[in-house]
Every structure is written in C-alpha cells, then in structure tokens.
Amino acid sequence: MIDIVFALGGLLALWCGLSWAFDVRGITTRRSERIRRKNEDAWAAMGRLGGSPTVFATVGYLRFLGVVMAGAGLLLLVVAYALWHLAA
C-alpha cells in the first residue's frame, strides 16, 4: 500500500514540477505576478512605496523550485519501484 502512495506522490510531484519548470501555460509567470502584487499590497499597507525586493517572486526562482520538485518526484518513483520489488 505504501508503494502506491509513493508512486502517486511521485507522479504528482513530477507533473507539477515539470509544469513549473517549463512554464506550461504560463503557470510560473502568473504565480510570480500574484506574489509580487501581494507583496506590493502588503508594503503599501505599511506605508512603503514599491514592492518588496524579494527573490521568491521571480520566475527563475519558481522554475528552480519546479526542477527540485520534479527531481523529488523521480526520487519518489524510484523508491516506490524499490519497495514494490522488495515486497514481491
């Protein structure tokens, strides 16, 4: 049962990671814009002009996170395959 959970988690992480890494349908650019707008609103509420200078709102950072997530998905798939063979 645990190998199925790892396999499904690995497939989900791989799919989401590849979507973020390759910016499928503009996912990372839209997310980056939402983060930047949210930071600007938070800073405006504190009386500061302009957005916060953060690296977490950049497209490149979100693409990097997608690559890391895809790698974690592959690792989970390998673990699920190993568990499947250990149980058999």
Side-chain angles (χ1 to χ4, degrees):
M1 182 66 181
I2 193 75
D3 53 348
I4 294 172
V5 172
F6 278 155
L8 290 176
L11 286 174
L12 181 67
L14 185 64
W15 178 68
C16 289
L18 290 176
S19 295
W20 281 25
F22 291 110
D23 198 14
V24 176
R25 293 177 22 198
I27 291 172
T28 53
T29 52
R30 284 194 316 262
R31 183 164 176 80
S32 171
E33 183 62 28
R34 277 195 308 259
I35 292 170
R36 189 190 59 75
R37 209 172 323 116
K38 180 181 167 190
N39 286 343
E40 280 183 0
D41 291 343
W43 277 52
M46 291 187 284
R48 298 178 180 156
L49 297 177
S52 64
T54 179
V55 71
F56 304 117
T58 62
V59 176
Y61 179 75
L62 292 175
R63 284 185 168 196
F64 171 74
L65 283 181
V67 170
V68 171
M69 194 183 317
L74 284 175
L75 181 66
L76 280 174
L77 287 175
V78 168
V79 168
Y81 181 75
L83 286 175
W84 180 58
H85 274 287
L86 285 176

